[in-house]
């Protein structure tokens, strides 16, 4: 219903504050309903003052219609964040999802229990909580957006009988039925969002809006811990309580749900610093584009930079979460009854019988072909296994001559890089490079024949990456240098075996050996107590 622009207000001494200008689209400016919704949004959110709700600064009218001046948020919404993870073939960290959901619940609790400046209770129901309306800034702050269709006491806009408003796949059952809503409707939407981000698939996706509404009312809901086994059962229980179709069985309010998330998640929760680190990793290019766009407002960026920034910001946000294909039979909660399979009645008409016969023939043909392929596959395994056993016996029976001059093993492998503990002096410049001492080989005969030397082994070159998650959070050192604080994502390291020093809340030094391979990412998720002290 609206279009957005980037704007700013300036003042003495170089003062500048960036805002978003929101205007009703030209083709609906004469629509009285849209205008009332626009005024509702301004009136409702202008009074809000919560860190997790986007603010409205001003409402005005120009020759071309009404406008809102809103908080400028440099960040990405949850659809864009999941799309970035899918492009990298990575799963959104569960700690990220849980922390975002916790902050959204607190923002909703503020809106649901809002007290007007006059002292009169003025609760606001959002009615459109979905990934598209939740942003995470590049600094890791969660923002709930778009109260454009919110239902507030005394709102100007009235919903007509027989109509529903919201994003269909995220509506509550009572919202689909057109019943009177309270804050627990928004909590159901948060449950849908959590389920999708945790399992990596849409929950109520359908062919059309009607199909999605029917699924919201009737379709079984699988437990997240059954779809994604690494999800703690306590977290899964919170999600399923939020998704109860009977609102009386859900959490009483957003604050209770936020506390339940904190209790179930424990050390998994990401704080704003961790979220900011992940956002910078995922959206480095878009962050640079945003900076260029802001510089253009100050007149310090050329047109080529601005055009490049606009292209980067308009890039495709996909891929999006896929539709869930396997409706696993849930356990308890709102979805304890498995999905009923459609009953197949007798075929009607000659055409239908012919179709069934053709299908049966095709299935039989496919079955015979499948049996032949499986037979060939098993035969190849037997032949390969027999050859492998024969070859192994030849190797084991071979005569092995002992080395006439065995050497003692060194106490350490000189090929591995050596790193010092925090606070210790740095090693020599060449000590971290793989070196092999050149030694003469023993004489071939008893006489003084020529001696040959082994060639110097070349150092291993190249770089790889390390993603390390340690719970609880810990500081990570490589030698004297601090690599950062966990969770760390895609930290570039030289190829080789690295000895890392881990310092958790207990201040004890723990030692972790990490192999880094060229061009690959080593991913580790450990509990602090699993890392040996050193």
């Amino acid at each position: 219903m609206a279009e957005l622009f980037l704007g700013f207000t300036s003042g003495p001494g170089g003062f500048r504050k960036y805002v978003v200008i929101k205007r009703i689209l030209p083709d609906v400016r004469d629509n009285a309903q849209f205008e009332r919704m626009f005024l509702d949004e301004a009136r409702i959110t202008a009074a809000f003052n919560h860190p997790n709700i986007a603010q409205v600064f001003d409402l005005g009218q120009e020759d071309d219609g009404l406008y809102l001046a809103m908080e400028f948020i440099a960040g990405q919404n949850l659809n864009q964040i999941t799309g970035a993870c899918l492009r990298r073939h990575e799963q959104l960290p569960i700690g990220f999802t849980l922390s975002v959901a916790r902050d959204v619940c607190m923002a909703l609790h503020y809106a649901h229990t809002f007290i007007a400046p006059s002292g009169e209770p003025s609760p606001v129901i959002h009615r459109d909580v979905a990934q598209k309306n939740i942003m995470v800034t590049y600094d890791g702050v969660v923002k709930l957006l778009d109260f454009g269709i919110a239902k507030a006491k005394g709102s100007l806009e009235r919903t007509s009988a027989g109509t529903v408003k919201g994003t269909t796949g995220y509506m509550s059952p009572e919202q689909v039925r057109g019943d009177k809503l309270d804050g627990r409707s928004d909590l159901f939407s948060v449950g849908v969002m959590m389920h999708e981000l945790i399992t990596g698939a849409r929950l109520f996706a359908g062919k059309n809006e009607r199909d999605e509404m029917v699924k919201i009312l009737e379709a079984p809901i699988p437990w997240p811990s059954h779809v994604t086994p690494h999800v703690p059962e306590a977290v899964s229980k919170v999600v399923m309580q939020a998704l109860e179709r009977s609102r009386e069985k859900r959490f009483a309010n957003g604050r209770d749900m936020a506390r339940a998330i904190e209790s179930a998640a424990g050390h998994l929760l990401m704080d704003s610093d961790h979220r900011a680190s992940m956002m910078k990793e995922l959206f480095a290019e878009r962050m640079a584009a945003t900076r260029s766009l802001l510089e253009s407002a100050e007149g310090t960026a050329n047109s080529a930079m601005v055009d490049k920034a606009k292209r980067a910001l308009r890039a495709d946000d996909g891929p999006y979460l896929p539709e869930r294909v396997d409706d696993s039979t849930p356990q308890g909660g709102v979805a304890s009854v498995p999905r009923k399979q459609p009953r197949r009645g007798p075929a009607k008409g000659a055409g239908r019988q012919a179709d069934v016969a053709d299908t049966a023939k095709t299935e039989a043909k496919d079955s015979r072909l499948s049996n032949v392929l499986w037979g060939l596959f098993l035969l190849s395994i037997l032949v390969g296994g027999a050859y492998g056993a024969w070859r192994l016996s030849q190797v084991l029976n071979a005569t092995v001559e002992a080395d006439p001059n065995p050497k003692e093993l060194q106490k350490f492998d000189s090929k591995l890089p050596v790193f010092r503990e925090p606070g210790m002096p740095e090693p020599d410049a060449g000590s971290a490079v793989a070196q092999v001492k050149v030694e003469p080989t023993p004489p071939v005969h008893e006489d003084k024949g020529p001696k040959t030397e082994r060639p110097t082994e070349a150092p291993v070159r190249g770089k790889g990456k390390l993603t390390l998650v340690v719970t609880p959070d810990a500081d990570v050192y490589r030698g004297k240098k601090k690599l950062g604080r966990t969770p760390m994502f895609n930290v570039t390291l030289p190829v080789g075996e690295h000895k890392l020093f881990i310092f958790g809340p207990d201040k004890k030094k723990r030692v972790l050996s990490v192999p880094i391979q060229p061009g690959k990412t080593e991913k580790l998720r450990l509990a602090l107590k699993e890392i040996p002290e050193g």
Side-chain angles (χ1 to χ4, degrees):
M1 91 180 195
E3 55 186 349
L4 301 177
F5 299 87
L6 174 64
F8 64 87
T9 179
S10 57
F15 172 81
R16 179 158 292 181
K17 185 178 184 65
Y18 292 97
V19 294
V20 170
I21 307 297
K22 184 174 184 178
R23 301 193 309 178
I24 299 178
L25 287 169
D27 57 341
V28 293
R29 283 175 188 162
D30 295 331
N31 188 314
Q33 181 186 18
F34 280 117
E35 185 172 308
R36 288 195 298 269
M37 289 173 62
F38 196 82
L39 291 171
D40 270 345
E41 180 179 11
R43 185 182 57 81
I44 291 167
T45 53
F48 284 172
N49 184 18
H50 191 275
N52 299 120
I53 297 178
Q55 286 186 293
V56 170
F57 300 128
D58 190 22
L59 168 67
Q61 186 163 13
E62 296 290 342
D63 294 337
D64 52 359
L66 294 166
Y67 71 85
L68 281 177
M70 308 172 69
E71 178 183 4
F72 169 65
I73 301 173
Q76 304 288 314
N77 66 36
L78 290 182
N79 276 337
Q80 295 164 326
I81 294 170
T82 54
C85 289
L86 288 172
R87 283 195 298 273
R88 297 159 67 103
H89 303 288
E90 296 177 359
Q91 188 172 4
L92 192 66
I94 187 172
F96 183 91
T97 297
L98 296 174
S99 63
V100 169
R102 185 268 317 272
D103 289 355
V104 170
C105 285
M106 291 306 298
L108 288 171
H109 182 70
Y110 174 87
H112 297 163
T113 59
F114 181 67
I115 304 294
S118 62
E120 181 184 2
S122 185
V124 178
I125 314 303
H126 191 285
R127 298 202 300 173
D128 197 16
V129 177
Q131 280 91 314
K132 65 179 182 179
N133 288 330
I134 299 169
M135 286 190 71
V136 180
T137 71
Y138 296 133
D139 294 329
V141 179
V142 178
K143 293 284 186 178
L144 178 61
L145 313 176
D146 202 355
F147 280 78
I149 65 169
K151 193 75 169 179
K153 181 180 178 181
S155 65
L156 301 174
E157 172 60 17
R158 298 282 184 248
T159 301
S160 303
T163 65
V164 292
K165 293 181 179 179
T167 304
T168 51
Y170 301 88
M171 291 180 178
S172 65
E174 59 269 28
Q175 194 173 0
V176 170
R177 292 190 297 264
D179 298 341
K180 186 177 179 179
L181 305 181
D182 59 24
R184 292 170 292 183
S185 174
D186 287 340
L187 300 185
F188 183 92
S189 303
V190 176
V192 176
M193 178 196 76
M194 291 179 67
H195 193 288
E196 293 187 346
L197 297 183
I198 289 173
T199 63
R202 291 288 311 278
L203 181 57
F204 297 123
K207 298 177 181 178
N208 49 51
E209 291 185 352
R210 183 185 182 281
D211 191 21
E212 291 182 352
M213 290 182 181
V214 170
K215 287 186 176 183
I216 289 171
L217 296 174
E218 300 177 358
I221 302 173
W223 280 61
S225 54
H226 293 182
V227 179
T228 311
H230 73 271
V231 176
E233 197 69 20
V235 170
S236 194
K237 185 177 180 180
V238 171
V239 175
M240 296 305 287
Q241 184 173 345
L243 290 173
E244 287 281 0
R245 288 193 167 94
S246 171
R247 62 177 133 190
E248 287 74 20
K249 295 181 180 180
R250 297 178 209 150
F251 295 99
N253 53 61
R255 183 174 56 195
D256 286 354
M257 184 170 173
R259 288 173 176 172
I261 292 172
E262 289 179 344
S263 176
H267 61 268
L268 291 175
L269 280 178
M270 280 190 180
D271 60 22
S272 59
D273 290 339
H274 294 153
R275 293 195 296 261
S277 176
M278 194 184 97
M279 292 295 289
K280 290 172 184 175
E281 176 69 26
L282 292 175
F283 298 105
E285 184 180 0
R286 291 198 176 189
M287 289 177 66
T290 300
R291 285 194 296 268
S292 297
L293 210 59
L294 298 181
E295 289 172 1
S296 71
E298 299 174 359
T300 58
N302 57 46
S303 58
M305 290 175 59
V306 175
D307 291 340
K308 182 179 179 181
K310 288 180 179 178
R311 286 194 299 271
L313 293 173
R314 290 171 180 166
D316 183 23
D317 295 329
Y320 299 105
L321 291 176
E323 183 176 350
R324 180 168 52 90
V325 267
D326 179 22
D327 287 328
S328 304
T329 302
Q331 189 179 54
V334 297
S336 58
V337 181
R339 182 187 295 274
K340 294 181 180 180
Q341 297 297 327
R343 183 178 298 175
R344 296 183 180 180
K348 296 182 181 181
R352 175 61 180 161
Q353 293 175 356
D355 290 341
V356 172
D358 290 341
T359 302
K361 291 178 182 178
T362 304
E363 291 178 352
K365 182 178 180 181
D366 290 343
S367 178
R368 288 194 296 271
L369 179 60
S370 176
N371 291 337
V372 172
L373 292 176
W374 273 108
L376 292 174
F377 177 68
L378 293 174
L379 182 61
S380 65
I381 292 177
L382 291 174
V383 173
Y387 173 78
W390 173 80
R391 182 60 182 159
L392 180 62
S393 66
Q394 296 296 314
V395 172
L396 293 176
N397 292 331
T399 302
V400 180
E401 296 183 1
D403 188 348
N405 296 297
K407 296 182 179 63
E408 293 184 1
L409 293 175
Q410 295 181 357
K411 295 182 179 179
F412 62 91
D413 188 350
S414 61
K415 296 181 183 180
L416 299 180
V418 179
F419 300 102
R420 304 299 181 192
E421 299 182 14
M424 297 296 290
E426 287 285 352
D428 294 338
S431 63
V433 180
Q435 298 175 347
V436 178
K437 184 178 180 181
V438 176
E439 295 180 348
T441 57
V444 180
H445 302 290
E446 291 299 326
D447 59 354
K448 297 180 179 180
K451 298 179 181 180
T452 60
E453 293 185 347
R454 299 175 186 172
T456 302
E457 191 172 306
V460 177
R461 298 184 182 277
K463 293 183 178 180
K465 293 185 178 181
L466 170 66
T467 291
L468 178 61
V469 178
V470 175
T471 52
D473 299 342
D475 294 321
V476 182
Y477 287 82
R478 192 192 78 171
K480 189 178 180 181
K481 180 180 177 182
K482 182 177 179 179
L483 294 182
R485 186 171 178 82
T486 61
M488 302 188 311
F489 301 94
N490 298 321
V491 177
T492 302
L493 292 174
V495 170
E497 188 85 13
H498 294 268
K499 182 182 289 186
L500 304 182
F501 299 101
I502 315 296
F503 293 87
D506 58 4
K507 306 301 182 184
K508 294 181 180 179
K509 182 183 73 174
R510 290 174 165 82
V511 182
L512 177 65
S513 295
V514 177
I516 299 297
Q517 301 182 44
K520 296 184 178 180
T521 301
E522 180 72 15
K523 298 181 180 180
L524 298 174
R525 182 185 295 270
L526 302 167
L528 185 65
K529 61 184 180 181
E530 297 175 350
I531 305 175
E533 297 180 15

